[in-house]
Amino acid sequence: MSDQFTPAQQHADAPLRLFNSLTRAVEPFAPIQPNHARVYSCGPTVYNYAHLGNLRAYVFTDTLRRTLLWKGLDVTHIINITDVGHLTSDADAGDDKMEAAARAQAKSIWDIAAHYTDAFKRNIADLNIIPPSEWTVATDYVPQMIAFAEKIAPAHCYELESGLYFDSSSVPDYGALAGGRDDAAHARIDPVAGKRNPSDFAIWRKSPPGEQRQMEWDSPWGKGAPGWHLECSVMSEARLGHPFDIHTGGIDHREIHHPNEIAQNQAFHGCCGEADAAAAGFTGARWWMHNNFLVDRQGKMSKSKGGFTTLFSLIDAGVHPLAYRLLCLGAHYRSELEFSAESVSAALTRLKRLVMGVENLKARAEGVTWQSLRLDWLRANLHPKLAPLLEQFDAAISDDLMTPRALPLLEETIAMKKVPVDEKLCLLAAFDQALGLNLLTIGRADLRIQPRDAQIAPEEIEAELDHRQAARAEKDFALSDEIRDALIARGVEVMDGDPLRWDWRLALA
Ligand code: AMP
Ligand code: ZN
């Protein structure tokens, strides 16, 4: 189905506007190269499974990517895999997360990285996130990182016993992305003795004398490993050139990781020698975009806190992964989103209704060649009752990816009376290009996932519900209640009065 449309040839009406964390304003977006947007997304640190919060970051970048495609742009999208350099805190002292995980699991770092990279890619596929044009792996770029560091070292770095440090006072406006430098915050997180400024950070971390790390490389500053911030400066420039269009990450990166990347980029491009004003303002990417956090009742979801919820655990609980995608799309990416069993159950119910609505339309459209209709044709010929929905959808996603405003248009399209069913389906397929919910290809049966520890099979539930319906038809309400209570005791929530007759779900733990 998705191949039927050629969004690159569409000319949607509303101008695309995106929030730029650099200016803290929503600005009209135009790519630097005509019709081609280049996007870099900070990727996962593969020392553990991604939690649902991490995955929110990639649902956001996917929504961005799909919106750029919707607007007719070609997109080159890079996501990196951090398999070296990310320490167990934001500080420069302490363990590398990868080394620590390898020790704890008595495995090689390479095995750890391969296992969690593979798991991450499965999550990406389950969420129907378009894979990046290229996954760049940090350890493949160490020689380039050393070359980058050699170039900036003379004017911007100093050496301590523990490594090579970037002098954050050597570039103009350090920390502007974070809203100014915050020395107090940096001092709290980073105890390295001898640093000139609290916000200085490691470019190269020397292996402690007498200690061999699993991952270490020779460098002009001795054996060691690159600092975490270096990799994104190097890989984004290597794969996308400079400047490129959009750099994304979670909002935590706005405070330290991305300001440090920007400082490195300024230094690399000669911001300060001959007072090159253009390079002083050089930040690597024109747009810096950040998704807000997924939180739960304990606060921000984080790997280091432990006890986090993964997409695997959600699927084990019987929730289709696209319900999580829908939950994410139901909130604007710049708002905090609360995850709970209730919120994801509600998203699953909404997804089921949408899928059933589409299934009903498909049943009515049998024999009609709706799949071959093209979106550009649709734009010119859409039924007058449907045309405003397409316009509203385009306006919503063009307005800094306002998916919560776009979603109800799905339900409105499904419910619209007295319009040709083929046009409705075609419009829904077009919307789904941007939303990625697979509405046209999954069916009701796909959404029924058997929870891993379910005590009851779906067939048994359906049979019990048939008995219950028969009891109700005979006005035997005592028996009907008895059956419902027995189901509840086994974790089945029975939803009376569901107009679409999707009448049960397994309660989430
Ligand atoms: P990490 O694997 O820790 O490097 O993080 C991968 C991505 O997830 C980064 O862009 C983070 O900023 C983002 N992230 C981490 N925690 C959350 C959260 N609770 N909600 C949303 N995004 C997050
Ligand atoms: Zn990064």
Side-chain angles (χ1 to χ4, degrees):
M1 178 68 239
S2 56
D3 293 333
Q4 305 295 327
F5 291 107
T6 48
Q9 288 159 26
Q10 295 164 31
H11 295 285
D13 297 328
L16 177 59
R17 291 160 54 78
L18 299 172
F19 184 84
N20 188 350
S21 297
L22 276 176
T23 56
R24 307 262 159 138
V26 177
E27 297 173 359
F29 175 80
I32 298 164
Q33 295 175 353
N35 295 321
H36 178 208
R38 289 166 292 158
V39 183
Y40 182 91
S41 301
C42 283
T45 309
V46 285
Y47 71 105
N48 206 335
Y49 296 109
H51 58 65
L52 292 172
N54 300 133
L55 294 173
R56 184 182 187 202
Y58 304 102
V59 171
F60 152 60
T61 58
D62 192 51
T63 307
L64 172 64
R65 177 161 176 191
R66 287 171 181 273
T67 300
L68 293 168
L69 291 169
W70 170 276
K71 302 307 278 185
L73 301 170
D74 288 334
V75 183
T76 303
H77 184 205
I78 304 293
I79 304 182
N80 70 289
I81 299 288
T82 298
D83 58 352
V84 67
H86 197 169
L87 301 189
T88 45
S89 73
D90 276 329
D92 286 315
D95 262 348
D96 184 302
K97 289 185 182 190
M98 299 296 299
E99 295 259 1
R103 247 197 328 275
Q105 297 184 35
K107 289 196 174 130
S108 81
I109 288 193
W110 307 103
D111 288 345
I112 295 278
H115 176 79
Y116 293 114
T117 300
D118 178 60
F120 181 73
K121 289 181 181 173
R122 273 189 284 149
N123 290 160
I124 292 294
D126 281 345
L127 288 168
N128 197 29
I129 289 170
I130 304 172
S133 319
E134 198 181 329
W135 298 97
T136 57
V137 179
T139 48
D140 290 344
Y141 284 82
V142 175
Q144 290 95 317
M145 291 187 220
I146 292 173
F148 188 109
E150 276 186 292
K151 180 171 168 190
I152 65 173
H156 298 277
C157 302
Y158 57 93
E159 223 174 315
L160 296 177
E161 218 180 323
S162 55
L164 183 71
Y165 284 80
F166 188 95
D167 180 347
S168 58
S169 65
S170 71
V171 290
D173 296 331
Y174 173 80
L177 181 69
R181 60 188 308 140
D182 183 353
D183 282 346
H186 281 281
R188 264 196 311 280
I189 58 161
D190 207 339
V192 176
K195 283 206 316 190
R196 293 180 190 164
N197 310 287
S199 50
D200 293 355
F201 55 92
I203 291 275
W204 188 262
R205 294 173 303 112
K206 296 184 198 172
S207 299
E211 201 180 291
Q212 203 190 342
R213 286 180 172 153
Q214 274 199 47
M215 277 190 182
E216 54 183 15
W217 292 261
D218 286 322
S219 83
W221 316 281
K223 260 198 190 352
W228 172 43
H229 315 296
L230 193 53
E231 68 174 77
C232 289
S233 283
V234 168
M235 291 191 286
S236 59
E237 173 142 353
R239 306 318 301 160
L240 296 175
H242 71 90
F244 61 95
D245 294 298
I246 306 176
H247 195 314
T248 76
I251 198 160
D252 46 339
H253 288 350
R254 200 183 61 184
E255 311 307 318
I256 294 173
H257 181 47
H258 289 169
N260 291 353
E261 268 188 59
I262 289 174
Q264 292 167 161
N265 297 343
Q266 287 174 304
F268 191 76
H269 288 278
C271 61
C272 314
E274 297 296 296
D276 179 342
F282 181 85
T283 57
R286 289 267 169 90
W287 257 263
W288 291 75
M289 294 180 71
H290 298 98
N291 62 279
N292 210 325
F293 288 135
L294 182 76
V295 298
D296 56 23
R297 291 197 180 115
Q298 281 80 50
K300 177 200 160 199
M301 203 174 271
S302 81
K303 288 186 211 174
S304 49
K305 236 169 43 180
F308 55 84
T309 307
T310 65
L311 193 65
F312 297 114
S313 61
L314 204 59
I315 295 169
D316 281 349
V319 177
H320 194 281
L322 290 175
Y324 177 64
R325 184 179 177 108
L326 182 58
L327 177 70
C328 291
L329 297 179
H332 188 239
Y333 74 92
R334 284 194 286 122
S335 309
E336 235 173 44
L337 170 61
E338 181 167 328
F339 177 83
S340 64
E342 295 76 33
S343 65
V344 81
S345 288
L348 181 58
T349 301
R350 186 178 189 184
L351 183 62
K352 285 171 178 170
R353 287 172 183 231
L354 286 168
V355 166
M356 288 172 69
V358 172
E359 272 187 345
N360 292 341
L361 293 178
K362 282 202 284 197
R364 281 171 45 209
E366 232 168 293
V368 179
T369 56
W370 62 271
Q371 297 196 36
S372 61
L373 290 178
R374 291 168 52 97
L375 187 60
D376 48 4
W377 182 91
L378 212 56
R379 277 188 187 284
N381 297 286
L382 205 56
H383 190 282
K385 284 175 82 178
L386 290 175
L389 301 188
L390 178 55
E391 218 171 277
Q392 286 166 37
F393 186 91
D394 178 54
I397 60 168
S398 304
D399 181 9
D400 195 27
L401 321 178
M402 279 295 172
T403 49
R405 230 168 68 206
L407 284 177
L409 297 166
L410 294 170
E411 280 108 353
E412 253 188 77
T413 305
I414 292 171
M416 185 71 78
K417 300 262 186 305
K418 299 200 168 79
V419 290
V421 70
D422 53 342
E423 290 195 26
K424 278 195 193 193
L425 282 166
C426 213
L427 187 58
L428 288 164
F431 290 166
D432 203 44
Q433 292 276 308
L435 299 172
L437 291 166
N438 265 348
L439 290 179
L440 279 286
T441 48
I442 55 174
R444 183 184 151 145
D446 300 316
L447 293 175
R448 276 214 194 285
I449 294 182
Q450 173 82 343
R452 204 172 179 173
D453 57 357
Q455 298 162 21
I456 182 164
E459 300 72 33
E460 197 184 337
I461 298 173
E462 300 279 358
E464 286 303 310
L465 286 173
D466 285 348
H467 287 153
R468 182 163 182 252
Q469 209 161 359
R472 285 162 80 92
E474 285 174 19
K475 303 216 176 328
D476 188 347
F477 296 112
L479 178 59
S480 156
D481 288 351
E482 206 177 291
I483 295 170
R484 190 196 56 199
D485 292 346
L487 284 171
I488 289 172
R490 297 174 77 184
V492 182
E493 219 175 298
V494 180
M495 291 175 285
D496 285 327
D498 183 330
L500 289 168
R501 296 207 39 75
W502 185 277
D503 39 21
W504 63 269
R505 69 181 172 207
L506 282 153
L508 288 177

